[in-house]
Amino acid sequence: MSKLRIGLAGLGRLGQRYAMNLARAVPRAELVAACSPVEAERAWVRDTLGLPAIHERYEAMLADPAIDAVFLVTPTSLHPAQIAQALDAGKHVFCEKPLSLDLDECRRAAAHAARSHRRAMVGFVRRFDESYRDAFRHIEAGGIGRPFLVYSQTADLADPTGAFLAFAPTSGGIFLDCSVHDVDLARWLLGRPKALKVFASGTVAMYPPLEALGDVDNGIAIVEFEGGRRAMFHASRTQAHGHDTHTDVTGTAGKLSIGRNPRANRVEIADAGGVRNTVLPSFYERFAPAFVAQATHFVDAVLDDTPFDLTMEDAVEATRIAVAMRESLQTGHPVAL
Ligand code: NAI
């Protein structure tokens, strides 16, 4: 098989980016179908990419024997069932993060994938970012000694319209929506230690409607891992300057930082106001090449029958820790894992 024939489910905010990437930027992918229940989204993909098959229903797309693999960029609540349906239909499946907001559902989906003769991977895009990969290689080669401390944050530009509030009730809360990325990074950069205990707190700085949902717009958490390893997390929806995702890793012989200055480009402006950079507006501008690299990895690994960089157990573990963060935030108590 020279190309992997793909059906894409979900054509929303992120799904349209996936459609463009799979159609144009992933060398061994062939985007042959897409599905969405929303007519405007189907019209978009018809007009933009002119795909041979565009479906209203996911089940109709799965029935197509011309599809080898499915990409899921659908609402998180649908992921576990759609993964199982794809595997049962004989398709490999790539699913956007998080696997699920519910831990039991995560475990069932991972068990289903383990039993299947088809393959499943949940995407955590930051692992495919060149800077994070370089940092990983440096740590793996012993460059900072024994890594024992991670600080990682996902901080979005404040939105004066509060548009994200429409998604807040179904997002699982700030830790499952945002920190799940940082949790996966921390586990990866610290050598996949077992998490033992979580403590979380947070505050509503700008968006009072979150209070009724038991959610916050700034969440902080500490995770204790085995072997004395520790991680600190900050997730925010209220940054004044832009999208500011960065990670620090401290080891016994050094420290490294990834993405510390969230500048949009390499232009530095000096004037009477000081010296400054413009700032990345959102996660997509920061991680656009990584989304292509991630899709390319999935496609190549399926075609060449090589291992995925990310296992389903990684996805389950990220949710397990993020769920404990939410519980700690809501109860005010540490949570043992
Ligand atoms: P969205 O709400 O903009 O898009 C969801 C899409 O799914 C829409 O096109 C909708 O019509 C479609 N859909 C709904 N029910 C469907 C069904 N039964 N079958 C097929 N399609 C269906 O959501 P968004 O922001 O694009 O997020 C999608 C996923 O991507 C979520 O799981 C989210 O967590 C993840 N995500 C990941 C990010 C990252 O940094 N890796 C960033 C943003 C989102």
Side-chain angles (χ1 to χ4, degrees):
M1 202 192 298
S2 61
K3 288 214 168 188
L4 195 68
R5 297 168 303 174
I6 292 168
L8 171 65
L11 293 165
R13 189 171 63 131
L14 194 56
Q16 295 191 4
R17 310 278 197 170
Y18 268 89
M20 302 293 273
N21 288 343
L22 291 167
R24 294 180 178 160
V26 179
R28 297 164 79 196
E30 189 179 353
L31 185 63
V32 294
C35 79
S36 165
V38 177
E39 167 51 28
E41 294 175 352
R42 295 196 299 278
W44 175 86
V45 79
R46 196 179 305 121
D47 297 345
T48 315
L49 297 172
L51 298 184
I54 299 169
H55 302 277
E56 183 174 352
R57 291 181 57 250
Y58 179 60
E59 291 74 13
M61 189 172 82
L62 287 183
D64 184 349
I67 293 172
D68 306 310
V70 166
F71 271 62
L72 296 176
V73 196
T74 48
T76 302
S77 57
L78 303 179
H79 291 172
Q82 289 186 329
I83 289 173
Q85 283 175 285
L87 294 170
D88 290 349
K91 317 294 184 194
H92 305 288
V93 55
F94 171 90
C95 179
E96 248 306 330
K97 70 85 208 159
L99 174 50
S100 168
L101 303 176
D102 179 272
L103 191 53
D104 288 336
E105 274 190 358
C106 281
R107 289 181 171 136
R108 280 197 294 276
H112 200 113
R115 285 194 307 271
S116 173
H117 59 295
R118 291 289 183 262
R119 303 180 61 194
M121 178 181 134
V122 175
F124 279 101
V125 69
R126 293 180 198 174
R127 288 215 203 179
F128 297 90
D129 173 70
E130 258 320 305
S131 299
Y132 277 100
R133 286 182 98 79
D134 190 47
F136 177 78
R137 286 190 290 266
H138 189 71
I139 294 169
E140 207 179 28
I144 60 166
R146 179 174 52 81
F148 63 88
L149 187 64
V150 165
Y151 169 80
S152 196
Q153 72 171 49
T154 298
D156 282 332
L157 179 63
D159 174 3
T161 70
F164 81 92
L165 290 168
F167 299 97
T170 52
S171 72
I174 198 163
F175 292 125
L176 273 151
D177 195 25
C178 301
S179 300
V180 74
H181 282 291
D182 303 283
V183 168
D184 178 66
L185 286 176
R187 291 188 61 248
W188 181 52
L189 296 168
L190 289 171
R192 292 198 166 116
K194 188 172 155 27
L196 305 175
K197 194 157 89 176
V198 170
F199 179 71
S201 183
T203 188
V204 175
M206 285 175 67
Y207 299 101
L210 291 173
E211 277 165 17
L213 303 171
D215 199 2
V216 291
D217 54 27
N218 279 264
I220 49 179
I222 293 174
V223 177
E224 294 183 3
F225 291 97
E226 64 183 350
R229 282 162 283 189
R230 302 287 182 264
M232 300 176 284
F233 302 102
H234 177 205
S236 173
R237 305 205 191 264
T238 66
Q239 298 299 292
H241 56 296
H243 177 79
D244 188 350
T245 282
H246 73 254
T247 302
D248 302 325
V249 189
T250 305
T252 50
K255 173 177 174 174
L256 53 78
S257 298
I258 307 122
R260 206 179 175 93
N261 179 345
R263 61 189 185 190
N265 54 39
R266 288 162 203 243
V267 178
E268 193 171 272
I269 301 160
D271 58 20
V275 180
R276 64 185 184 278
N277 306 113
T278 50
V279 185
L280 289 160
S282 83
F283 74 94
Y284 200 79
E285 287 76 13
R286 169 66 182 86
F287 292 108
F291 278 100
V292 176
Q294 176 174 251
T296 303
H297 170 73
F298 175 86
V299 167
D300 289 349
V302 170
L303 287 173
D304 299 338
D305 201 20
T306 51
F308 292 137
D309 282 356
L310 276 151
T311 66
M312 290 298 276
E313 288 66 37
D314 288 330
V316 176
E317 192 60 10
T319 295
R320 188 173 83 99
I321 295 170
V323 165
M325 288 173 166
R326 183 178 60 193
E327 185 185 333
S328 177
L329 171 76
Q330 292 177 344
T331 62
H333 299 298
V335 175
L337 283 157

